[in-house]
Amino acid sequence: MTRLHDPAKRGFASDNYAGVLPEVLEAIAEANLGHQGAYGTDDYTAALGERITDLFGAGARAFPVFNGTGANVVALSAVSDRWSAVVCADTGHIHVDEGGAPEKLAGLKLFVVPTTEGKLTPEAITAAVPDRAGDVHWPQPRVLSVAQSTELGTVYTPDELRALADYAHERGWLLHLDGSRLGNAAASLGTGLRAITTDVGADVVSVGGTKSGLLGAELVVVLDAATAPGIEYVRKLSMQLASKQRFLAAQFLALFDDDRYLRVAGHANAMARLLADRVGGIDGVAITQPVQANAVFATLPRDAAEALMERVPFYFWDETRSEVRWMCAWDTTEDDVRAFAALVAEELSRTAGI
Ligand SMILES: Cc1ncc(COP(=O)(O)O)c(C=O)c1O
């Protein structure tokens, strides 16, 4: 096959721009041998089921899906009723980056809560969502959905999550974690996955794989099967049931092997920290969010940002204030970071000199 891209091209646009972990490609090749049962009746899916109980607790059950939007739609609809609503952050991926899928496909109203640094608090929810439980005219909240790490690269502590879980449960709601970058959050906190999911009272979790080096594989993990009784049917009707599911399961087995999930995410986090340290001191660059996972948000003069984008892939997060997002991935190297920081310094001194 003819190569269509420049393999030397690297950037900071998204952890989705990175490729696939070599160990994951090997796992796919291994799973490729011979025939295996379809639709999850294979040995890799069975082994993943066991691995998930080790990682999340005895009651946990895993449902591989193709993408993060699908994981969120399946997770939210599996625990909701037809009349349910979901409470989320104003920055929430489910609100701003899923094409309306939770509303259109799952039919769920979203209550959007203003946040600071992308993080919800019980106080912010109380201020934004009136308590009209039992009022037939009012969409009834059923799920509180929280991204861990957040879309702004911040991380909830276990205590913050526990407070949100308690708040939700006191109202008869469930806690959903959008863990598209759950590994980055766990690595940042120095915990395992269980400490920020099962142990804080979460009910259902979208566990990211793609951003940590998988090839289009995500997971829905239900921590107590009783909360999502029809999830198999919901996944199928949401078009997220893979016929060759062994390839999704094998990838997660490779990712969870030998703490690889935490290691690769921890590496991406460390590269973001290094990048923030390197660019934070450059005149004209201001870091705008705490750097707690694998993202760096910064403002810089628009001309400089645009000139840099011509050379290295990344994009504006908020163009109105010339704020950019730089993401680090499992394969970002220290050399990538140093070279990019040098380019930022060069571009800023050039534009300052004009
Ligand atoms: C917080 C969050 N949730 C979910 C997703 C997954 O989305 P996708 O459907 O693009 O895989 C993303 C991807 O950017 C994300 O940042």
Side-chain angles (χ1 to χ4, degrees):
M1 194 192 75
T2 319
R3 182 179 283 154
L4 298 175
H5 74 292
D6 170 6
K9 186 158 186 159
R10 306 174 63 78
F12 293 85
S14 168
D15 31 11
N16 281 332
Y17 276 45
V20 177
L21 284 159
E23 296 85 353
V24 169
L25 288 176
E26 278 165 28
I28 293 172
E30 191 62 32
N32 196 39
L33 302 172
H35 285 202
Q36 279 271 295
Y39 299 108
T41 60
D42 61 276
D43 296 337
Y44 295 89
T45 298
L48 179 63
E50 283 176 24
R51 192 77 185 93
I52 286 301
T53 58
D54 298 341
L55 289 169
F56 292 90
R61 291 178 65 208
F63 300 88
V65 294
F66 296 114
N67 57 46
T69 300
N72 288 338
V73 166
V74 169
L76 295 174
S77 39
V79 299
S80 296
D81 294 310
R82 208 164 128 65
W83 55 89
S84 299
V86 174
V87 177
C88 68
D90 52 356
T91 48
H93 200 263
I94 61 171
H95 172 49
V96 291
D97 273 316
E98 296 190 352
E103 290 103 328
K104 290 178 181 169
L105 299 183
L108 294 164
K109 174 175 174 62
L110 299 184
F111 282 114
V112 175
V113 178
T115 52
T116 310
E117 297 174 357
K119 286 165 75 170
L120 286 161
T121 59
E123 297 71 30
I125 300 167
T126 300
V129 183
D131 180 5
R132 288 175 62 180
D135 176 348
V136 73
H137 302 286
W138 189 246
Q140 298 292 300
R142 170 64 176 155
V143 189
L144 170 57
S145 179
V146 165
Q148 173 75 322
S149 59
T150 73
E151 292 77 1
L152 298 186
T154 51
V155 172
Y156 290 90
T157 64
D159 284 348
E160 288 171 333
L161 290 175
R162 163 63 65 190
L164 287 167
D166 289 348
Y167 181 92
H169 294 156
E170 278 157 21
R171 288 159 179 77
W173 311 350
L174 299 174
L175 181 66
H176 165 246
L177 299 182
D178 177 354
S180 171
R181 298 188 181 89
L182 192 69
N184 300 91
S188 170
L189 294 163
T191 67
L193 299 180
R194 189 183 167 126
I196 53 170
T197 54
T198 321
D199 292 352
V200 295
D203 298 287
V204 58
V205 188
S206 303
V207 178
T210 313
K211 292 177 172 62
S212 291
L214 302 196
L215 179 55
E218 310 278 311
L219 269 190
V220 178
V221 173
V222 177
L223 297 167
D224 171 2
T227 58
I231 187 164
E232 291 92 345
Y233 305 105
V234 170
R235 179 175 54 161
K236 175 67 183 181
L237 69 83
S238 306
M239 296 163 282
Q240 291 286 326
L241 175 61
S243 52
K244 294 189 180 177
Q245 187 170 294
R246 73 180 188 270
F247 294 108
L248 307 188
Q251 292 186 61
F252 269 104
L253 286 170
L255 188 62
F256 292 143
D257 196 27
D258 195 21
D259 272 344
R260 183 166 290 117
Y261 194 34
L262 300 185
R263 276 191 287 113
V264 298
H267 170 79
N269 293 352
M271 293 303 99
R273 189 63 265 158
L274 181 66
L275 180 59
D277 291 345
R278 290 265 160 167
V279 296
I282 299 172
D283 250 2
V285 177
I287 307 285
T288 53
Q289 300 292 336
V291 179
Q292 295 171 346
N294 61 328
V296 178
F297 288 79
T299 53
L300 67 166
R302 196 187 173 86
D303 290 356
E306 284 173 348
L308 281 163
M309 284 174 202
E310 297 280 314
R311 302 168 77 176
V312 178
F314 69 92
Y315 49 79
F316 283 114
W317 181 257
D318 179 352
E319 207 165 342
T320 59
R321 56 193 207 109
S322 193
E323 184 183 35
V324 300
R325 184 188 75 163
W326 292 316
M327 294 298 299
C328 295
W330 66 267
D331 68 343
T332 304
T333 65
E334 290 191 13
D335 284 349
D336 291 336
V337 171
R338 290 203 182 92
F340 181 61
L343 274 186
V344 174
E346 181 191 310
E347 204 51 59
L348 276 152
S349 62
R350 205 178 61 76
T351 32
I354 289 173

